[in-house]
Structure formats: structure tokens, C-alpha cells
Amino acid sequence: MKSGSLFCALPCNRLPVQLMSQVRVYTSNGQKKDLGSEDKNVSTPEDSVRKVGTGRDTGNADQKQTFLKEPIQVKVKAVLKKREYGPKYTQNNFITGVRAINEFCLKSSDLDQLRKIKRRSPHDDTETFTVYLRSDVEAKSLEVWGSPEALARERKRRKEAEIKYRENLFRNQRLLKEYREFFGNTKPRSSAAAMFFKGPGKVVMVAICINGLNFFFKLLAWVYTGSASMFSEAIHSLADTCNQALLALGISQSARTPDPSHPYGFTNMRYIASLISGVGIFMMGAGLSWYHGIMGLLHPHPIESLLWAYCILAGSLVSEGATLLVAINEIRRSARAKGLSFYQYVVQSRDPSTNVVLLEDAAAVLSVAVAATCMGLTSLTGNPYYDSVGSLGVGTLLGTVSAFLIYTNTEALLGRSIQPEQLQRLTELLESDPVVRAIHDVKATDMGMSKVRFKAEVDFDGRVVTRSYLEKQDIEQLLQEIQQVKTLEELEAFMLKHGENIIDTLGAEVDRLEKDLKQRNPDVRHVDLEIL
């Protein structure tokens, strides 16, 4: 039964008749019928209603009893009105002093007369800070500027002035850069220079000096003897010198501080320089050695006295061996500090610059041995083919080293995962924390040079976070605030206040977990925890 107005049981004779005039009865087949036109043979429910509406068969007393037997019950549910998230909704939100000055073009003195509200910081080691009501700030801005149009014009003017300032700043920086390039940069670079007196920088500088001298003397020996193996050795030393100079450039560039364009820094410049170095060894060293060896096999020619060549190879063996020992000692020290074996440190390319020096010097020592052996066979037999075979052997050795460097540095640049046991320790630390219910999609990427980026989706336990917040509150005072809540507006204000504080507590818990992860593994530099 559907009624257009509300039924009321009142002591009036005409009221039921007037109300029932708008009643419609629906049959089982979905058709509606007026009570006045109903068939008199209709079954009991409709007939009883029709009789009540007409008043022909019952009196006023019966009508009252009929309405009192089944009174209509209306339940009203108190709910907050849904609001749109516009300026009207956020006018009573809090705003910091910096945003108030920037967004509403005010001065710090304009905020002194406004109501100040102290808010607790989400960080335990940080003091409370002062915020203002947005409605108060908006009213003050209208008082200062007179109208919204004047405020909008001032905002536009300040925005144009800021754009002009940035353009002038960029122009001045460009002029300063051109000035430094023309007259020279007189600013001391002690930090960059200090990198080449210790660690990988020292190894690279020693290798540059020794390989440069070896290239000069080997080139003289090749000119004097015409040996293909000696030519390969000269090319090998030249390739090593050029590649290690490139490594020095990569070390210098990796020390640059991060900027907005490169927020994670320039650490990977070492891997890029090592990758280019590996390609350079293949192109210059291996390619020219193979070419010269093949040409010696196709067009053999007699070789002059090899005495001076043997002396230069002996000196090269000593110098390359010394550089190799420096690289080995540096890698052992670094591997011991990281808790890795010598082999793991080299294969994982933890320090690409030292890795390149180690492999190049190891290849240089082996290639000197190969070249000396082939040249000795040529001296004993007088057959120049042995010397050409030695050149091919040196080229093959350089190609192998180049392929290894390209592979290891490419893996590092792609972003490989850290060791499973390290990832397991970090995962267990998160899972064992009481505030964490579960974690998903855990990723730990090695960014190179002992820098790890950790990412995980964390499902926080809301009850534990709320208890952590309540432990810092006065429960009796909180109970009094609850008892004073009488209206929906007071309830909304109470929930907004404590809801914001609980979110601050959640942020503090996230910061605590990030700090614990960095303490557990010092290599973790960047932590991204996504809240589920």
C-alpha cells in the first residue's frame, strides 16, 4: 500500500477519509486501482481498506481502532551531510605560516593578530609548530587587499616577478659558466683531487702512469724490431692508458653532488666509464691485435734482433705486476670491509674502477708472457708465424677481458637485486615489528657503489597505531571530551582532531621503520614504504 502523505491517528471524523483519498492499491499483477472503482468481490485486504476509506460499514470508533492497531513507525538515522571537497569545505582547515604568506600575499606581521594553534609534530624529536585557520587567513587577506580581485592581481604580479627572477638567475649562471670557461675556474677542488690519493682513485692514477710509460717503450721496441707481438703489446698499453684515463674521469664525475635533475646522484658514472672502457679494450686492443696478427700470417717478414724487445717486456712485466699488486690489495681490503670474498667482490663489480685496473693488469701480465713466449719461439726457429700467433693470442685475451667488463657493468647499470640473505634480514625486521600486519612486493635494488634502494608495500595494523597514539594521551581528559559531545558538529570536530593526530602517528611509525632499516643495513640509502 503506497500513500502520498503520513498516516496519523487523531480523534477526527473526517481525517481518515481525507487521507485515504490518496491511497492506491496494487494488485499482484502490478496494476494499480482506485478505491472508488474497486470491484466489490475483491478479497479481504483491499476490501477492508476500501471499507475504512468509505466509512459505510464501520463507525468512527472502528476506524480509530483500525489505525491504532498498526501504527506507522518512522526511524530517523543521524548521519553527517556529505560535503564536496571545495573551498567551503576546507575553509576551517589548518594552514602553516609559510603557505599563508605565499598563497595569500601576506606579511609575517599580518599573522600576529590571528589565532595561533599549536600542533604536535609527528616526529618525537621535533617541537610543536604553529598553524592558523584558513578561514582567518582568508579574511585577513581580504582585509589587507580589499577584494578578491585585488588579491588575484597581486598573485599574478608575484608569479610574473618570480618567472622573471628565474630567467635572470639562469642567464647569470650561464654567463658565470662562460666566464669560468674563458678565464679558468679558480675555485679549489680539494675534495675531487683528494679522491685520487686513496682508494680506487689512487689505483687508477698509478695504472695511468705505468701504462703510459709502457706504451712509450713498447712502441720504440716495435719500431726497432717490427715484431707483431710487440706491436700488440704497444697497442695493449695504449688501450689501457686511454681506458684508465676514462676511469679517472668517471671517478671525478661520480663525486658530484645530487641536483634536481639527478636526485640520486652521479654514482653510476663509474659504471658507465667502466662499460665504455670495456668496449674500448675490445675495439682498440683486441681489434688491432687480431688485425696485425692476421696480416703477419698472410704476409710474413723476417724479424730483427729481439734483445731490446726482451728487455722492454721484462720491464713491462715488473711494472704491470706492481700495478696488479696494488689493485689486488685494494680489492682485498674493500672485500673484507663488505664481508665478501675476493671472487664475489670482483664478479659482482662492487668497485668498477678497481675491477677494470685489476683485469687489465692481469691481462697485461698474461699477454707479456704470451708475447715473450711466441717471440722466443720465433728467435729459436726463425719462423715469424709464431710471432703472429702471439699477436692473435694477445687479442683473444683482451677480447675476453672486454666481454667480462661489459657483462658485469651492464648488470650493475640494469639494477640487480641485493644478496638473498641481506633481503631476508630486512624483510624479517619489517615483519617482526608489531605495527606491521603484512608486507608485499618487497624489492631491494643495488644502485651501485654500496648504495641500496629498498621498496615495500606495508599493511599497517590500525589498532596498534591507534594504541600507540592513545598511550601518549590523557585517557581521563579524552573521556571528558567524549562526554561533552552533544551535537553532530562537535562529534565531527572531535573525530577530525584525533584522526589527524593518528595519521601523524602513522607517519612517525613509517619514519621509525625507515631508520631501523638503515641501521640494520648501512648500504640502504633510500627507503620507500607504501602504506596499504
Side-chain angles (χ1 to χ4, degrees):
M1 182 169 63
K2 180 178 179 181
S3 174
S5 56
L6 186 64
F7 283 97
C8 298
L10 298 177
C12 180
N13 296 334
R14 293 187 176 182
L15 181 61
V17 177
Q18 294 175 356
L19 292 177
M20 289 304 296
S21 62
Q22 300 180 6
V23 174
R24 298 289 185 270
V25 178
Y26 289 83
T27 60
S28 59
N29 57 3
Q31 298 177 354
K32 65 180 181 178
K33 301 180 180 180
D34 295 333
L35 290 178
S37 60
E38 277 285 287
D39 189 10
K40 296 183 179 181
N41 296 326
V42 178
S43 59
T44 306
E46 291 86 347
D47 191 27
S48 61
V49 174
R50 181 164 49 83
K51 290 179 181 180
V52 172
T54 55
R56 297 175 181 176
D57 301 328
T58 57
N60 293 337
D62 295 337
Q63 292 178 358
K64 293 180 181 179
Q65 291 178 359
T66 303
F67 284 107
L68 291 176
K69 285 181 181 179
E70 296 181 357
I72 296 178
Q73 298 179 358
V74 179
K75 294 183 179 180
V76 180
K77 184 178 181 181
V79 294
L80 290 176
K81 183 179 179 181
K82 185 177 181 181
R83 303 179 182 180
E84 296 181 355
Y85 293 93
K88 185 177 180 181
Y89 181 80
T90 59
Q91 63 179 352
N92 290 326
N93 285 6
F94 297 129
I95 184 174
T96 60
V98 176
R99 289 190 60 186
I101 294 174
N102 294 333
E103 294 183 11
F104 295 93
C105 304
L106 299 176
K107 299 179 181 179
S108 58
S109 58
D110 296 332
L111 303 178
D112 295 339
Q113 303 174 359
L114 302 181
R115 290 177 291 179
K116 300 178 179 62
I117 302 172
K118 294 290 185 180
R119 303 299 297 167
R120 183 186 61 82
S121 173
H123 306 281
D124 295 335
D125 55 349
T126 307
E127 298 180 357
T128 58
F129 57 95
T130 304
V131 294
Y132 304 88
L133 282 174
R134 179 180 285 271
S135 57
D136 294 347
V137 175
E138 291 177 352
K140 186 64 178 179
S141 65
L142 293 178
E143 178 185 346
V144 172
W145 295 104
S147 64
E149 292 77 12
L151 177 60
R153 287 194 299 267
E154 179 64 19
R155 286 176 177 173
K156 182 179 179 180
R157 187 191 67 80
R158 292 192 179 189
K159 186 175 181 180
E160 293 175 353
E162 182 181 0
I163 295 174
K164 186 176 180 181
Y165 169 77
R166 290 181 179 178
E167 292 177 353
N168 293 333
L169 181 62
F170 175 76
R171 189 182 301 109
N172 293 334
Q173 289 178 347
R174 185 178 61 185
L175 292 176
L176 182 60
K177 182 179 180 181
E178 294 176 356
Y179 173 82
R180 287 176 176 175
E181 291 177 353
F182 183 76
F183 292 99
N185 189 359
T186 58
K187 183 179 178 180
R189 300 184 63 185
S190 57
S191 59
M195 298 181 62
F196 295 101
F197 293 98
K198 61 180 180 179
K202 178 182 177 181
V203 176
V204 171
M205 293 306 296
V206 170
I208 289 175
C209 297
I210 291 178
N211 285 315
L213 292 175
N214 288 338
F215 165 70
F216 178 74
F217 289 111
K218 288 178 181 179
L219 185 63
L220 291 180
W222 170 71
V223 172
Y224 179 72
T225 61
S227 171
S229 297
M230 186 54 65
F231 175 80
S232 298
E233 281 299 307
I235 294 299
H236 185 181
S237 297
L238 176 61
D240 289 349
T241 304
C242 295
N243 291 329
Q244 285 152 8
L246 183 61
L247 293 178
L249 178 62
I251 292 175
S252 176
Q253 292 295 317
S254 65
R256 295 169 58 186
T257 56
D259 56 25
S261 301
H262 305 84
Y264 290 105
F266 298 85
T267 305
N268 285 338
M269 281 301 299
R270 295 196 182 190
Y271 291 98
I272 295 173
S274 300
L275 179 62
I276 299 174
S277 175
V279 177
I281 293 173
F282 182 81
M283 296 295 294
M284 184 182 293
L288 289 178
S289 297
W290 283 334
Y291 172 78
H292 207 72
I294 293 174
M295 293 303 294
L297 292 176
L298 296 177
H299 307 285
H301 61 277
I303 299 176
E304 302 294 335
S305 176
L306 298 177
L307 178 60
W308 288 105
Y310 291 140
C311 295
I312 292 174
L313 284 178
S316 177
L317 180 63
V318 174
S319 61
E320 297 284 2
T323 310
L324 179 62
L325 290 177
V326 173
I328 290 174
N329 291 332
E330 176 64 25
I331 289 180
R332 282 180 176 175
R333 184 186 63 81
S334 301
R336 193 181 306 111
K338 297 296 180 182
L340 301 173
S341 64
F342 184 88
Y343 175 76
Q344 289 176 337
Y345 193 88
V346 172
V347 172
Q348 295 175 11
S349 188
R350 294 285 180 171
D351 187 353
S353 303
T354 310
N355 247 18
V356 172
V357 175
L358 171 71
L359 295 174
E360 286 183 351
D361 288 340
V365 171
L366 293 176
S367 64
V368 167
V370 171
T373 302
C374 293
M375 290 170 62
L377 292 175
T378 299
S379 298
L380 293 176
T381 62
N383 188 353
Y385 286 106
Y386 290 108
D387 185 62
S388 299
V389 171
S391 180
L392 293 175
V394 172
T396 303
L397 185 60
L398 291 177
T400 303
V401 172
S402 176
F404 179 78
L405 289 176
I406 292 173
Y407 171 76
T408 54
N409 288 284
T410 302
E411 286 290 314
L413 289 173
L414 285 176
R416 61 194 168 201
S417 178
I418 62 176
Q419 295 298 316
E421 54 272 11
Q422 296 179 356
L423 182 60
Q424 182 66 24
R425 288 198 299 267
L426 297 176
T427 304
E428 290 176 353
L429 175 64
L430 281 180
E431 290 180 337
S432 60
D433 196 280
V435 78
V436 177
R437 182 185 291 120
I439 58 175
H440 310 277
D441 194 19
V442 180
K443 297 177 182 177
T445 305
D446 188 355
M447 301 175 61
M449 299 304 301
S450 301
K451 291 184 178 179
V452 175
R453 181 179 179 181
F454 182 85
K455 177 260 180 184
E457 296 179 356
V458 183
D459 183 9
F460 285 89
D461 193 337
R463 292 177 176 269
V464 177
V465 175
T466 305
R467 287 194 181 99
S468 177
Y469 167 70
L470 293 177
E471 289 175 356
K472 302 175 183 178
Q473 305 299 316
D474 187 353
I475 300 299
E476 295 182 356
Q477 181 181 358
L478 192 63
L479 180 60
Q480 293 177 1
E481 293 181 7
I482 296 175
Q483 293 175 349
Q484 293 175 359
V485 173
K486 303 299 181 182
T487 63
L488 296 179
E489 288 74 12
E490 294 177 354
L491 176 62
E492 180 182 7
F494 176 83
M495 296 298 295
L496 290 176
K497 172 186 175 181
H498 293 282
E500 182 183 10
N501 294 336
I502 292 175
I503 295 300
D504 292 341
T505 304
L506 178 61
E509 293 294 336
V510 172
D511 292 339
R512 179 182 61 81
L513 290 176
E514 292 179 353
K515 185 178 180 180
D516 292 344
L517 289 172
K518 293 179 180 179
Q519 289 180 349
R520 176 66 63 89
N521 191 345
D523 291 343
V524 177
R525 303 294 180 86
H526 308 282
V527 179
D528 301 327
L529 298 181
E530 299 180 6
I531 302 176
L532 295 180

